[in-house]
């Protein structure tokens, strides 16, 4: 029997009444098997003896003591008990707030084991939160490591510890190993039952540590198995055939450009073409900083697949960006006879019906749009390439929905938010990664300035002078409209105010609550240079490309995340003019806000910024996979445990290449495990 098969409800254990049962359910712990998988986050050390003096007010005291007296002191109008103890190193006072009843148990001369954090105050060592047990030859807590569990609702440690102990005693006798013998031997891993006991009730810190490693490895091994099995399945079920690409349309477009591709763009193009010709479905991520020219790569790739007689699709996270892509595609490709269409939620009724029919009959070569692209009724004649721009903004299932249209198409993901290697190896099912490091020639570094709120007048003066030179500017705010709760500037009111500050200029306003067609018109006017200033929220964060805009003013810069700041700044510096970013910050700064501004001031390198972001926030959010539920690792941590992850990945690769269907007798464990108690859902991983 596998632990996942211990399906008995957790309230079968003693002490789990309706209240605790509800609290456990809320934490996702419904079965006894799940309770056993609720690992401690750390241990309370009741093992290492530590006297009052040794602890020195810094560590918890864990000592044998004798009660030597009692006093009382007034507290909240009541006399409160104070027990004086002596542990051979010093005297200490136990302050019994609300616990006067302890007088009975803590009589003078009683010997106790004492645990608690002391502080030196009012000339004595005091402790208010203490635990004790009466001295015996075989103490219950003293001398042990007590597991500390994540708690919720009504739960407390005593309840969980008791329930886990009972579960270990009564339910684990028949538990199976969950890793192949060979693997366990090569890492000298003990049996699983032993590890389970040691993680919950370790005899010493070494055993606890060993047990933790066991489960970290096990979890990552199973994760990699899910990834690997999924990758294999995709390779098998695809009807993917090798292509021979002529690259004539690509050459033609490249010849028409007023610039050369950068060396990295060229390399990436070759990598993509190689993937497309390989006969295996492409699964490639293009990482490149904001402005590095990823869109062009997308277009050139699409041209190649279209030339081979198939269709291409490009999905962008916002309507604004999708429309901009469609307009650019038309500009670049339509004279080559490529039929381009745009689809978003705003395309409705008759227009949509016609578009879908044309798409299905193959009269559309290149479909560009938002997440509307993956709705069920969107059918292609033969989708050869799906491109997902700013991929981190989509959920795993959305990307997968597009990938599963027809025969598995080639997949190309684009991101300006570099994904840590560990995530590329896991969440994305082993992606191939291409990186564009060089920026197009002639780009001048953006000057970034920090300005304190109150001094923005100087920034406005500067902007005015630039506008007079014919440049354009963005003003970005954290809120759409005024909020009663937050004392922040908002786009709507600032739009009105800025009209007065810039009487000679034309202004536009853009945010997510403005209707699509109005947004479009505003964006178009700004792109054409008919508007001088675009007042916006972070909707302009992704993709918007107006080379003549050279100024980005971000008010309340401290309110934006690092990647948003970097993306926003990346809206300027796209032409050959010197560009500027002004971060106006409020003096009410949190430490993290301060940290973010410092990082953004010090670096314009998106990769470096992403690394710092990872440190500040952790991996899940960065890759936009937190919402998928897939990354809910119980004990492993992809940032901390990279080394183990790489080991597990290599082990799984070796195993699966020898025995892809887990048919060998030595892998029966795994086959059975995935059949009766799968540790991860295979389907959540995009292919
Ligand atoms: P990204 O999507 O990577 O942020 P874009 O594809 O929007 O960047 O490109 C930014 C701008 O740079 C666009 O105006 C694009 O036409 C231009 N561009 C792309 N490649 C080059 C190049 N090799 N040389 C000069 N300009 C380029
Ligand atoms: Mg882009």
């Amino acid at each position: 029997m596998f632990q996942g098969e211990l399906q008995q409800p957790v309230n079968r254990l003693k002490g789990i009444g309706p209240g605790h049962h509800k609290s456990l359910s809320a934490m996702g712990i419904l079965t006894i098997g799940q309770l056993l998988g609720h690992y401690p986050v750390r241990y309370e050390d009741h093992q290492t003896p530590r006297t009052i003096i040794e602890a020195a007010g810094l560590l918890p005291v864990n000592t044998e003591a004798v009660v030597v007296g009692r006093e009382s002191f007034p507290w909240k109008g009541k006399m409160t008990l104070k027990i004086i103890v002596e542990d051979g190193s010093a005297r200490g006072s136990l302050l019994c707030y609300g616990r006067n009843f302890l007088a009975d148990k803590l009589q003078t001369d009683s010997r106790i084991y004492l645990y608690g954090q002391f502080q030196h105050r009012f000339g004595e060592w005091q402790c208010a939160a203490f635990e004790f047990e009466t001295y015996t030859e075989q103490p219950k807590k003293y001398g042990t490591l007590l597991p500390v569990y994540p708690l919720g609702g009504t739960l407390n440690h005593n309840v969980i510890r008791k329930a886990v102990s009972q579960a270990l005693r009564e339910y684990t006798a028949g538990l199976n190993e969950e890793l192949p013998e060979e693997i366990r031997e090569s890492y000298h891993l003990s049996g699983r039952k032993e590890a389970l006991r040691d993680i919950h009730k370790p005899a010493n810190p070494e055993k606890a540590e060993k047990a933790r490693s066991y489960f970290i490895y096990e979890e990552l091994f199973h994760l990699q198995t899910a990834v690997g099995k999924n990758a294999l399945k995709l390779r098998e079920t695809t009807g993917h055939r090798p292509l021979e690409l002529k690259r004539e349309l690509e050459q033609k477009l490249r010849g028409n450009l007023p610039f050369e591709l950068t060396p990295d763009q060229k390399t990436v193009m070759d990598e993509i073409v190689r993937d497309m010709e390989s006969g295996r479905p492409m699964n490639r991520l293009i990482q490149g900083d904001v402005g590095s020219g990823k869109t062009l790569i997308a277009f050139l790739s699409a041209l190649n697949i279209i030339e081979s007689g198939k269709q291409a699709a490009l999905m962008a996270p916002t309507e604004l960006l999708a429309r901009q892509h469609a307009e650019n595609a038309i500009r670049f490709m339509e004279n080559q006879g490529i039929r381009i269409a745009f689809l978003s939620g705003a395309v409705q009724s008759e227009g949509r019906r016609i578009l879908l029919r044309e798409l299905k009959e193959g009269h559309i070569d290149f479909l560009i749009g938002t997440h509307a692209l993956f709705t069920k009724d969107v059918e292609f004649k033969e989708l050869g390439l799906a491109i997902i721009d700013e991929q981190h903004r989509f959920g795993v299932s959305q990307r997968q929905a597009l990938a599963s249209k027809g025969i598995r198409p080639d997949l190309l993901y684009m991101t300006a938010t570099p994904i840590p290697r560990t995530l590329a190896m896991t969440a994305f099912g082993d992606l191939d990664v291409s990186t564009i490091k060089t920026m197009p020639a002639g780009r001048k570094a953006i000057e970034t300035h920090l300005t304190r709120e109150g001094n923005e007048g100087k920034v406005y003066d500067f902007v005015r002078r630039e506008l007079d030179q014919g440049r354009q500017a963005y003003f970005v705010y954290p809120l759409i409209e005024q909020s009663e709760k937050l004392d922040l500037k908002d786009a709507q009111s600032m739009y009105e105010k800025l009209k007065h500050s810039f009487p000679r200029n034309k202004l536009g306003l853009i945010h997510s609550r403005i209707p699509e067609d109005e947004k479009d018109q505003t964006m178009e006017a700004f792109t054409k240079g008919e508007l001088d200033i675009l007042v916006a929220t972070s909707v302009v964060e992704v993709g918007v490309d107006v080379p003549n805009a050279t100024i980005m003013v971000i008010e309340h810069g401290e309110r934006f995340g690092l990647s948003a700041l970097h993306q926003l700044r990346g809206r300027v510096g796209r032409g050959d003019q010197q560009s500027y970013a002004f971060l106006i910050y409020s003096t009410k700064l949190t430490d993290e806000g301060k940290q973010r501004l410092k990082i953004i001031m010090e670096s314009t390198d998106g990769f470096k910024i992403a690394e710092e972001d990872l440190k500040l926030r952790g991996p899940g959010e960065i890759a936009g996979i937190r919402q998928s539920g897939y990354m809910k690792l119980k004990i492993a941590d992809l940032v901390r445990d990279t080394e183990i992850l790489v080991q597990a990945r290599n082990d799984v690769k070796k195993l699966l290449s020898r025995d892809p269907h887990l048919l060998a007798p030595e892998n029966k464990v795994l086959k059975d495990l995935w059949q009766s108690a799968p540790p991860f859902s295979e389907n959540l991983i995009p292919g």
Side-chain angles (χ1 to χ4, degrees), residues 249-385:
L249 294 176
E250 180 193 339
Q251 292 311 333
K252 216 157 126 198
L253 174 54
R254 280 166 70 167
N256 288 340
L257 293 172
F259 48 75
E260 274 264 322
L261 293 193
T262 62
D264 284 354
Q265 279 174 315
K266 285 184 195 160
T267 311
V268 170
M269 265 326 293
D270 291 343
E271 284 170 341
I272 291 171
V273 167
R274 211 179 312 133
D275 282 359
M276 285 176 164
E277 292 185 328
S278 76
R280 286 193 305 148
M282 171 163 71
N283 202 30
R284 185 169 289 277
L285 173 74
I286 312 292
Q287 306 189 140
D289 211 343
V290 199
S292 61
K294 297 184 294 293
T295 313
L296 194 54
I297 298 291
F299 289 168
L300 294 171
S301 311
L303 278 178
N304 280 321
I305 212 79
I306 293 166
E307 192 175 36
S308 82
K310 301 185 189 187
Q311 293 164 299
L314 168 59
M315 181 162 83
T318 64
E319 172 107 14
L320 205 64
L321 182 54
R323 280 192 196 266
Q324 186 184 286
H325 282 332
E327 278 154 25
N328 283 331
I330 289 169
R331 194 156 53 87
F332 281 136
M333 304 180 170
E334 216 164 38
N335 60 359
Q336 308 208 38
I338 308 295
R339 296 159 299 182
I340 297 162
F342 175 80
L343 180 65
S344 77
V347 180
Q348 289 286 340
S349 51
E350 190 57 13
R352 182 181 165 92
R353 222 168 12 250
I354 294 172
L355 187 150
L356 292 187
R357 198 182 57 224
E358 299 270 285
L359 186 69
K360 197 172 171 188
E361 290 173 359
H363 302 309
I364 291 171
D365 301 312
F366 194 9
L367 182 64
I368 298 176
T370 59
H371 51 276
L373 259 60
F374 64 75
T375 32
K376 263 224 177 78
D377 56 345
V378 178
E379 288 175 63
F380 292 81
K381 179 151 183 257
E382 189 180 5
L383 181 62
L385 171 67

Side-chain angles (χ1 to χ4, degrees), residues 291 294-295 321 325 389-390 414 542-543 571 574:
K294 297 184 294 293
T295 313
L321 182 54
H325 282 332
D389 193 19
E390 306 291 347
M414 315 235 162
V542 281
R571 293 313 108 213
R574 310 192 132 237

